[in-house]
Amino acid sequence: MVPFEPEELGDLGGVRVLIIGGKEDMLIPRENTERLAEMLSDAGAEVTAHFTDAGHALTNTELVLAKRWLLSLGAVPPAATNGAGSGTSRGQRLRLQRCAAPVSSALVDA
């Protein structure tokens, strides 16, 4: 969700962002989520965006997409994905940023 557009976007070079939105979200229109992805990309972030056949609620599909994205970054070792731990090392700081709605979540590695 884009609550406001900053005058300056800043430099997000090297930051990877996952945005997952619901095609049927009645609270946050797809165009708003697409605008967020565009703004972050314009600021230099590496944005991966997915839209699922969902509304405003977080679904298992989004969790699977997020897990796959984290695995692609090496943020979660494959052996740690069976629920036996977080899988992130102390050197990796992973932050989950909620953009007003679970479906419009953005996972950002910092």
Side-chain angles (χ1 to χ4, degrees):
M1 179 173 146
V2 181
F4 69 93
E5 294 204 26
E7 291 180 27
E8 293 184 37
L9 294 175
D11 180 13
L12 294 178
V15 174
R16 293 179 232 155
V17 179
L18 172 64
I19 297 175
I20 303 174
K23 293 177 187 175
E24 307 300 322
D25 192 332
M26 301 301 286
L27 296 174
I28 301 175
R30 181 176 179 152
E31 296 79 23
N32 194 292
T33 305
E34 289 171 340
R35 178 66 186 132
L36 174 61
E38 180 183 358
M39 288 172 60
L40 294 171
S41 182
D42 288 348
E46 181 184 321
V47 178
T48 302
H50 292 280
F51 289 89
T52 62
D53 294 325
H56 195 69
L58 183 63
T59 67
N60 191 55
T61 300
E62 284 117 10
L63 295 175
V64 169
L65 287 169
K67 178 181 172 181
R68 287 180 184 163
W69 183 78
L70 289 169
L71 285 168
S72 76
L73 299 178
V76 180
T81 61
N82 62 4
S86 69
T88 56
S89 69
R90 293 204 300 163
Q92 293 174 307
R93 292 179 300 141
L94 217 41
R95 179 178 61 210
L96 174 63
Q97 177 186 0
R98 295 249 178 217
C99 297
V103 157
S104 295
S105 297
L107 290 168
V108 182
D109 67 327

